[in-house]
Amino acid sequence: MESTTKNRQPVEALRAMVARAYGPDQVCDAGEDWVSELSDGCFNVAYRIRLRSGAQVVLKIAPPPDVEVMTYERGAMATELAALRLIREHTKVPVPAVDFVDQSHELCEPTTSS
């Protein structure tokens, strides 16, 4: 789904993010079929990533900070992470594992969809 909130990133940035989260030895070689966008969502952009080990993970990127969103949507990913943590800690409801969170904004260029 197309949305101005989807902060799509170039392959080089995705490779750097995978290296930061899982280590450089888990980044697949250039040209390999290791990344695909999960396109059903309408707010964040999410990519299915195959690590060199064969494991598959999801890399999720929040909207650029300058994109217009509703007030309650600001910081939505931080809210989602907090909700997952609370559910995991206080219930037996299965939730997805969160392997890594990078809030430094060092690797992710804020871009808007065209």
Side-chain angles (χ1 to χ4, degrees):
M1 169 177 258
E2 288 304 313
S3 172
T4 59
T5 62
K6 288 199 173 188
N7 192 2
R8 291 182 175 90
Q9 295 295 306
V11 171
E12 300 79 30
L14 299 176
R15 291 172 60 80
M17 289 180 209
V18 171
R20 180 166 291 180
Y22 296 100
D25 59 322
Q26 286 299 317
V27 179
C28 288
D29 293 328
E32 289 188 35
D33 183 24
W34 62 276
V35 59
S36 62
E37 184 178 339
L38 301 172
S39 58
D40 288 339
C42 62
F43 192 71
N44 300 304
V45 64
Y47 298 97
R48 180 181 321 221
I49 305 285
R50 182 179 46 80
L51 302 176
R52 186 170 279 161
S53 67
Q56 291 194 33
V57 297
V58 173
L59 185 147
K60 194 171 184 180
I61 303 171
D66 62 339
V67 72
E68 283 191 42
V69 295
M70 303 295 285
T71 303
Y72 72 88
E73 293 173 317
R74 293 233 171 261
M77 189 168 299
T79 301
E80 179 180 347
L81 289 166
L84 288 172
R85 181 183 50 76
L86 287 170
I87 294 167
R88 185 178 302 105
E89 290 174 357
H90 298 286
T91 75
K92 295 192 184 300
V93 175
V95 295
V98 176
D99 296 335
F100 185 80
V101 175
D102 183 3
Q103 296 177 328
S104 72
H105 304 282
E106 295 171 342
L107 301 176
C108 187
E109 290 296 323
T111 60
T112 52
S113 300
S114 18

